[in-house]
């Protein structure tokens, strides 16, 4: 049973308190604490091996922390500690993420990969979907229209029926981001979304991130490009060896 709490300030959507995870003798995340405010773009930066992706894995419960708490204000406005909750339940609360390595199904079309992100909102039962009963057909039509809108937003609607396999890396990054948007996220974790993409795709992705933020999404963003950080991030935390060594605006840091 989920236990709710009040351990967030009114303007906060996520707070890490003394979060740690150990792999044998290695402290990948070590007593990490920081808070994310509603509707901001928060940058999490640091060198390779600093613990950024491990922290994301702890937030989303891919990894179970050794100690500490992850307080999140879910879609219903209730604050809960995510630690110990099932991985598959996190997305339903409004918290989604992308990965450093693009995780798509190459044998499916671009729009079918995006539709995967909307599966949590289907109300029709498996029985209704298998027999393609009216409610299932209606929901599928609505979901496909939404996926097409998301692909237009990402600037790749004309590729919707193309297979993912063989697509340029920048296109696949956009598809992965489009899939996260199908979940109507409250908080989006973007793990190096512009790495290894061409300048045009990079600019389009950054524009999309800023537009998402203007529409009300809170975003945690990590990158090695300091120009990107200064361009889009409201506040920044610097990680080193799993610890937060500084935080503030880019000017302060």
């Amino acid at each position: 049973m989920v236990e709710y709490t009040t351990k967030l300030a009114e303007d906060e959507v996520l707070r890490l308190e003394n979060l740690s995870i150990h792999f044998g003798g290695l402290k990948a995340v070590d007593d990490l604490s920081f808070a994310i405010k509603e509707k901001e773009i928060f940058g999490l930066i640091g060198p390779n091996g600093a613990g950024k992706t491990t922290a994301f894995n702890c937030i989303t419960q891919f990894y179970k922390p050794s100690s500490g708490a992850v307080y999140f204000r879910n879609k219903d406005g209730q604050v809960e500690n995510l630690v110990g909750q099932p991985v598959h339940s996190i997305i339903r609360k409004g918290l989604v993420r992308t990965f450093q390595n693009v995780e798509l199904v190459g044998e499916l079309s671009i729009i079918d990969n995006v539709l995967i992100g909307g599966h949590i909102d289907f109300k029709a039962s498996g029985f209704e979907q298998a027999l393609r009963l009216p409610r299932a057909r209606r929901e599928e039509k609505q979901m496909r229209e939404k996926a097409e809108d998301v692909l237009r937003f990402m600037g790749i609607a004309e590729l919707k029926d193309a297979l993912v396999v063989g697509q340029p890396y920048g296109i696949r990054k956009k598809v992965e981001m489009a899939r996260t948007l199908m979940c109507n996220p409250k908080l989006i974790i973007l793990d190096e979304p512009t790495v290894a993409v061409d300048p045009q795709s990079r600019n389009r992705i950054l524009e999309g991130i800023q537009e998402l933020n203007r529409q009300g999404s809170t975003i945690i963003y990590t990158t090695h490009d300091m120009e990107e950080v200064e361009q889009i991030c409201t506040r920044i935390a610097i990680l080193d060896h799993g610890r937060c060594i500084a935080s503030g605006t880019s000017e302060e840091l």
Side-chain angles (χ1 to χ4, degrees), residues 99-102 169-170 173 191-198 202 205 221-224 228:
F99 297 83
Q100 281 188 24
N101 298 318
V102 179
Y169 191 71
K173 279 285 191 179
D191 197 349
E192 299 191 19
T194 62
V195 67
V197 303
D198 62 272
R202 170 187 173 276
I205 290 172
Y221 184 84
T222 184
T223 179
H224 290 289
E228 289 182 12

Side-chain angles (χ1 to χ4, degrees), residues 27 189 201 203 206 222 253:
K27 293 183 177 180
I189 297 175
S201 294
N203 291 336
L206 292 178
T222 184
L253 295 177

Side-chain angles (χ1 to χ4, degrees), residues 98-222:
T98 62
F99 297 83
Q100 281 188 24
N101 298 318
V102 179
E103 302 287 345
L104 299 172
V105 183
E107 295 75 18
L108 294 181
S109 68
I110 284 176
I111 194 167
D112 283 340
N113 269 275
V114 174
L115 283 167
I116 290 171
H119 78 280
I120 63 168
D121 290 325
F122 272 103
K123 303 296 188 297
S125 67
F127 178 79
E128 289 174 299
Q129 293 180 45
L131 295 182
R132 294 189 55 76
L133 296 180
R135 183 166 72 156
R137 293 200 305 271
R138 184 169 60 252
E139 286 190 338
E140 183 177 342
K141 180 176 182 293
Q142 293 169 345
M143 202 63 67
R144 186 165 291 271
E145 290 172 351
K146 180 179 178 180
E148 290 175 351
D149 288 342
V150 170
L151 288 172
R152 275 191 289 272
F153 176 78
M154 295 305 302
I156 52 175
E158 71 281 0
L159 298 173
K160 66 177 183 177
D161 295 319
L163 294 180
V164 164
V165 66
Q167 294 295 328
Y169 191 71
I171 296 296
R172 286 184 284 142
K173 279 285 191 179
K174 290 181 181 180
V175 174
E176 186 178 43
M177 188 178 298
R179 185 178 59 190
T180 68
L181 300 184
M182 289 293 291
C183 310
N184 298 316
K186 181 169 186 176
L187 174 64
I188 308 171
I189 297 175
L190 299 176
D191 197 349
E192 299 191 19
T194 62
V195 67
V197 303
D198 62 272
Q200 185 175 2
S201 294
R202 170 187 173 276
N203 291 336
R204 178 58 185 166
I205 290 172
L206 292 178
E207 290 170 2
I209 292 169
Q210 290 174 301
E211 180 59 28
L212 284 173
N213 181 243
R214 284 192 288 270
Q215 292 179 9
S217 292
T218 304
I219 296 166
I220 306 178
Y221 184 84
T222 184

